[in-house]
Amino acid sequence: MARLRRAPRACRRAKACFVAYGDRVWVKDTKANGESVAGTIKSKLPAHWGREWFNDRGEEGGWVMCNFNVPENQKGELCAVSNPFIGSQAYTDIWTSDFA
């Protein structure tokens, strides 16, 4: 699994994982502060698609999974977003695939 590029220290409270086969994204909040976190996957140009999933269960809620349907065999980015409406995030490149 690829590692996320680090966000600034103040933003490091969201974690996200992506599994290409099945298009699943897991999102985890690592800090109990009453704010939600989000996991997003989005295309790189020239394609135009994106999906976002919020985890509002807090630190005690653990990992939350969403099963997206995204175009196969394309480059994209996985983002772990600490402040969903502000944009503090860590990200890594992904490849959507229909292979296990």
Side-chain angles (χ1 to χ4, degrees):
M1 178 186 310
R3 293 179 53 99
L4 292 175
R5 293 182 183 110
R6 289 198 167 216
R9 184 179 275 305
C11 304
R12 290 186 215 155
R13 62 177 203 84
K15 292 185 178 183
C17 295
F18 172 73
V19 175
Y21 185 73
D23 301 331
R24 292 185 178 99
V25 173
W26 281 266
V27 184
K28 183 177 183 178
D29 190 341
T30 62
K31 188 173 182 182
N33 64 357
E35 297 177 8
S36 62
V37 296
T40 65
I41 52 176
K42 60 184 178 180
S43 66
K44 293 201 170 200
L45 295 175
H48 295 283
W49 56 264
R51 309 288 187 272
E52 186 167 47
W53 185 252
F54 292 90
N55 177 349
D56 58 3
R57 296 181 186 176
E59 184 180 24
E60 296 299 317
W63 290 95
V64 173
M65 189 270 296
C66 185
N67 190 0
F68 292 119
N69 185 15
V70 298
E72 303 297 339
N73 301 311
Q74 293 190 10
K75 290 181 182 181
E77 286 184 348
L78 167 68
C79 302
V81 185
S82 296
N83 298 309
F85 302 104
I86 298 173
S88 300
Q89 63 188 18
Y91 67 94
T92 192
D93 294 330
I94 60 169
W95 178 260
T96 63
S97 174
D98 53 2
F99 301 108

